[in-house]
């Protein structure tokens, strides 16, 4: 490691650098653990971990953590976010002797050290699961070993998210508040479409809503749910799914809402371009689009007759979990 990199971030991994744990080239995996943050237990990452563990043919369990230590004696670990993997190996260098798979959500590349830091961490994993090809190519460009990259779109629960007949319902926005979600574009669209009703679902929006007087608009409502299981009930009221985000790995609600037979109107980011055929099963717009670009697409979405569920029902948790099992069981892995 370059001395500057060590001063910037490498010191955090001194246990790894000192112990130099050696991985078995052909680990025999029987027991695996899905690792996610304890705050995600009632939300999508927690639900995803439970479903993947449920459908695994291996001895699979789920661990919710906030201290990132005291790992159980599994043969392999699946980390549902790169930051969880980074914090875990800092406190548990020994798990690098096991097989580790990391799910890459989306790139956060603030400066050259954050890029080097992330690549350093990801290259310690056996496999990195990307949700779309663009993000895999980007990280390989920055130094990720190409053989570690695996492209796997997310999955969803076709039993949980049932289809409904569209009948001039609401426009659904399902997302937590982040600047990358492009809240200003969302606001502009809502204000300029008084003839459509919008429902925003997700945490963290109170300050933005209050500062922009969104609740004063008769065509807007905001819902914060206490449990992931409550989403299908709200989705039944909506006919169009809108995602204004500038950066996504997914977005996860794209699959959920299409299973509910909503028509997506989404920005060209994440796996949207892999799943949506513009004008056939939804509509795409550029991440730099203005409200005037998106509004006609929303109106067209209400006129579309296609059953969008048919285009995503193949993305099942059973298939996703089976693929992960295959990666865990594959006789691969290099010495560290």
């Amino acid at each position: 490691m370059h001395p500057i990199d060590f001063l910037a971030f490498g010191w955090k991994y001194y246990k790894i650098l000192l112990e130099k744990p050696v991985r078995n080239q052909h680990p025999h995996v029987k027991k695996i653990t899905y690792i996610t943050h304890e705050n995600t237990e009632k939300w999508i990452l927690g639900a995803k971990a439970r479903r993947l563990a449920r459908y695994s043919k291996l001895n699979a369990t789920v661990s919710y953590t906030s201290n990132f230590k005291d790992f159980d004696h599994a043969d392999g670990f699946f980390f549902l976010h790169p930051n969880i993997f980074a914090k875990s190996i800092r406190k548990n260098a020994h798990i690098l002797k096991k097989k580790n798979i990391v799910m890459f959500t989306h790139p956060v590349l603030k400066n050259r050290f954050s890029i080097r830091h992330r690549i350093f961490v990801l290259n310690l994993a056996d496999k990195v699961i990307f949700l779309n090809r663009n993000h895999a190519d980007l990280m390989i460009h920055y130094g990720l070993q190409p053989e570690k990259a695996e492209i796997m779109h997310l999955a969803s629960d076709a039993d949980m998210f049932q289809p409904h007949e569209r009948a001039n319902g609401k426009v659904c926005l399902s997302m937590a508040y982040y600047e990358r979600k492009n809240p200003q574009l969302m606001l502009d669209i809502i204000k300029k479409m008084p003839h459509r009703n919008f429902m925003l679902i997700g945490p963290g929006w109170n300050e933005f809503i209050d500062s922009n007087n969104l609740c004063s608009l008769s065509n807007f409502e905001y819902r914060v749910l206490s449990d992931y299981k409550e989403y299908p009930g709200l989705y039944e009221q909506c006919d169009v799914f809108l995602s204004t985000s500038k950066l996504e790995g997914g977005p996860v609600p794209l699959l959920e809402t299409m299973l509910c037979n909503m028509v997506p109107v989404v920005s060209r980011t994440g796996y949207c371009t892999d799943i949506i055929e513009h004008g056939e099963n939804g509509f795409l717009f550029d991440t730099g689009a203005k409200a005037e670009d998106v509004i006609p697409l929303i109106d067209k979405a209400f006129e579309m007759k296609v059953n969008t569920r048919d285009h995503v029902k193949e993305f099942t948790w059973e298939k996703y979990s089976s693929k992960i099992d295959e990666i865990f069981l594959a006789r691969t892995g290099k010495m560290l």
Side-chain angles (χ1 to χ4, degrees), residues 45-197:
L45 286 184
K48 175 175 181 176
R50 289 189 294 274
R51 284 171 173 80
L52 292 174
R54 179 194 310 164
Y55 293 114
S56 174
K57 298 299 190 295
L58 301 172
N59 180 4
T61 58
V62 178
S63 177
Y64 308 96
T65 182
S66 59
N67 59 20
F68 308 99
K69 60 183 180 180
D70 300 326
F71 278 50
D72 62 15
H73 299 289
D75 306 309
F77 300 93
F78 186 105
F79 298 86
L80 279 88
H81 195 283
N83 289 351
I84 298 176
F85 180 57
K87 293 177 181 178
S88 298
I89 61 177
R90 283 169 57 187
K91 298 183 179 182
N92 308 270
H94 67 278
I95 66 175
L96 291 178
K97 299 177 182 178
K98 308 299 180 68
K99 202 157 188 179
N100 297 283
I101 302 174
V102 180
M103 187 180 77
F104 186 94
T105 50
H106 58 271
V108 181
L109 307 176
K110 297 179 181 178
N111 54 58
R112 68 180 184 274
F113 293 117
S114 70
I115 297 171
R116 292 178 183 174
H117 186 172
R118 182 149 292 200
I119 293 300
F120 170 80
V121 170
L122 293 177
N123 275 330
L124 292 173
D126 290 270
K127 283 289 184 180
V128 183
I129 305 296
F130 291 91
L131 308 186
N132 60 79
R133 168 58 63 183
N134 289 338
H135 290 171
D137 290 344
L138 178 66
M139 299 311 288
I140 290 171
H141 168 76
Y142 282 122
L144 177 69
Q145 297 170 24
E147 66 273 14
K148 293 184 182 290
E150 191 80 25
I151 314 298
M152 293 174 59
H153 300 319
L154 277 175
S156 196
D157 190 334
D159 293 327
M160 180 177 181
F161 297 101
Q162 290 290 326
H164 65 274
E165 294 294 327
R166 298 193 296 270
N168 200 32
K170 301 171 185 175
V171 178
C172 173
L173 295 120
S174 183
M175 53 189 178
Y177 177 84
Y178 296 102
E179 277 300 318
R180 65 180 175 85
K181 300 292 186 178
N182 206 352
Q184 186 60 50
L185 177 58
M186 178 197 76
L187 176 65
D188 292 343
I189 292 171
I190 295 172
K191 285 184 174 180
K192 294 179 180 181
M193 295 192 77
H195 61 294
R196 300 294 183 192
N197 294 314

Side-chain angles (χ1 to χ4, degrees), residues 208-240:
F208 180 84
I209 290 172
D210 291 343
S211 61
N212 291 281
N213 296 316
L214 256 173
C215 283
S216 66
L217 300 178
S218 60
N219 67 330
F220 173 80
E221 63 179 297
Y222 176 48
R223 304 293 295 270
V224 179
L225 305 182
S226 60
D227 197 299
Y228 183 60
K229 295 178 181 179
E230 299 177 45
Y231 274 81
L234 294 184
Y235 285 170
E236 288 180 1
Q237 305 175 35
C238 303
D239 287 355
V240 172

Side-chain angles (χ1 to χ4, degrees), residues 14-79:
Y14 73 93
K15 290 184 179 180
I16 295 172
L17 299 175
L18 288 175
E19 296 179 21
K20 295 181 179 178
V22 178
R23 181 188 296 124
N24 183 348
Q25 281 188 292
H26 303 297
H28 188 56
V29 177
K30 289 185 176 180
K31 181 181 179 182
I32 61 174
T33 301
Y34 287 89
I35 309 290
T36 186
H37 197 282
E38 66 178 11
N39 291 341
T40 69
E41 184 170 356
K42 291 186 177 182
W43 298 99
I44 179 58
L45 286 184
K48 175 175 181 176
R50 289 189 294 274
R51 284 171 173 80
L52 292 174
R54 179 194 310 164
Y55 293 114
S56 174
K57 298 299 190 295
L58 301 172
N59 180 4
T61 58
V62 178
S63 177
Y64 308 96
T65 182
S66 59
N67 59 20
F68 308 99
K69 60 183 180 180
D70 300 326
F71 278 50
D72 62 15
H73 299 289
D75 306 309
F77 300 93
F78 186 105
F79 298 86

